[in-house]
Amino acid sequence: MKTTVTGTRDYINPAPKIDVNRYSWENPNQEKLALLFSPVDAKVTELMRYVTSQDFRPDKAWLDYLMMRFSWIDGVLIADANGDILERRPPVPVKRFSEPLVFESIWRETLVKTVVDYTVLGPEVYFGMPNFEGTEFVGLHVVSFDPRVLFTFCPHPEELFIVDPRAKKLWTAGSAPAQGGEELTAIAWDQKLLEESHGSVVAGGKHYTWLARYIGRDRFIYATESANASIEDRGLQLIPFFGSYK
């Protein structure tokens, strides 16, 4: 009788068992980059979801919530179909455009081309959505932020690099990148991104693990010095971040 009760109890209400090794990493290079870039990428992805949540001209409530929820962005602007600014928050930005912004759109794609403006006060990233009334294009709503603010979400910001492959610029947490980091901009990323979205490279005599992710409609490169340069970066999977699990 006792054996029957014990067996029935374990079947109906089994004791939980946690496999702490289930999500262990096979590759320390992937693990290091994932831990660095994931909190940053999560903030960008959250902002992108909100910006793309509608394709019509935002109202005051939408703008108020944007500025409250994403306090780290620098501002938002709404422009008409001719590019004239109808509304801007804040009304007078800290950074002025170094030159007129030119956005490009591809038919059936929602986001417009991401524009990075390199001003005397540092870089500013702009991306946004077309606005429509019915099927008629009536303008854009565009958010902007200094990409260097993203490093405040990174647990070890001094170890993370972000590359703008279009402009061949490097974004870092400090004023001066670590030795060898600047050489990441010399890599032919445009060609590499045609065939790969992650991997490892050698720059300035150091091995780096990298991953391409979207900010707006365009891809940018997250990279960090490899934890173990002798291990190949293979089997990358973007679930839930990009690591290969046991």
Side-chain angles (χ1 to χ4, degrees):
M1 183 66 180
K2 183 178 180 181
T3 302
T4 303
V5 170
T6 302
T8 304
R9 181 194 62 200
D10 292 342
Y11 177 77
I12 296 175
N13 187 25
K17 296 180 180 180
I18 301 175
D19 183 358
V20 296
N21 295 317
R22 181 178 180 184
Y23 295 108
S24 61
W25 293 83
E26 294 178 349
N27 190 319
N29 300 331
Q30 298 170 16
E31 180 178 17
K32 179 184 177 183
L33 181 56
L35 294 174
L36 293 175
F37 100 92
S38 296
V40 175
D41 187 66
K43 293 291 185 181
V44 175
T45 302
E46 184 182 4
L47 176 62
M48 288 171 55
R49 281 199 301 264
Y50 187 76
V51 172
T52 60
S53 64
Q54 61 183 38
D55 59 1
F56 51 89
R57 186 166 290 163
D59 57 17
K60 180 179 181 299
W62 190 93
L63 294 171
D64 289 343
Y65 187 64
L66 170 74
M67 300 302 292
M68 178 184 68
R69 180 176 174 182
F70 304 99
S71 58
W72 49 273
I73 68 173
D74 287 339
V76 57
L77 62 87
I78 299 175
D80 64 16
N82 296 318
D84 296 325
I85 297 176
L86 303 176
E87 185 175 355
R88 186 168 193 173
R89 296 191 184 186
V92 180
V94 174
K95 294 179 187 175
R96 297 185 179 276
F97 305 140
S98 63
E99 56 183 292
L101 303 183
V102 179
F103 293 95
E104 298 176 3
S105 184
I106 296 178
W107 186 57
R108 290 193 176 183
E109 288 195 10
T110 51
L111 286 167
V112 294
K113 169 187 169 183
T114 306
V115 177
V116 185
D117 187 22
Y118 288 93
T119 74
V120 294
L121 296 179
E124 190 77 4
V125 176
Y126 295 84
F127 73 89
M129 277 280 290
N131 298 158
F132 295 93
E133 289 182 3
T135 59
E136 180 184 359
F137 171 70
V138 295
L140 303 170
H141 61 270
V142 177
V143 298
S144 68
F145 61 91
D146 188 321
R148 295 170 297 184
V149 75
L150 298 176
F151 292 97
T152 62
F153 308 122
C154 179
H156 300 286
E158 71 282 355
E159 297 182 16
L160 182 66
F161 301 97
I162 305 178
V163 180
D164 176 356
R166 188 183 301 272
K168 295 188 179 298
K169 298 284 189 179
L170 184 69
W171 304 335
T172 62
S175 56
Q179 184 179 1
E182 196 68 40
E183 282 79 358
L184 286 168
T185 61
I187 295 171
W189 289 111
D190 289 345
Q191 184 62 38
K192 185 174 286 292
L193 291 175
L194 293 176
E195 303 172 352
E196 303 174 294
S197 60
H198 53 74
S200 59
V201 294
V202 177
K206 295 183 178 181
H207 290 258
Y208 293 89
T209 303
W210 66 274
L211 174 72
R213 296 289 281 174
Y214 282 92
I215 300 179
R217 205 191 77 194
D218 296 272
R219 288 191 292 181
F220 294 79
I221 310 299
Y222 292 97
T224 188
E225 187 174 352
S226 299
N228 188 335
S230 65
I231 297 178
E232 290 184 30
D233 289 319
R234 60 181 182 273
L236 292 171
Q237 301 175 22
L238 290 174
I239 303 175
F241 297 122
F242 78 104
S244 177
Y245 300 109
K246 293 180 181 178

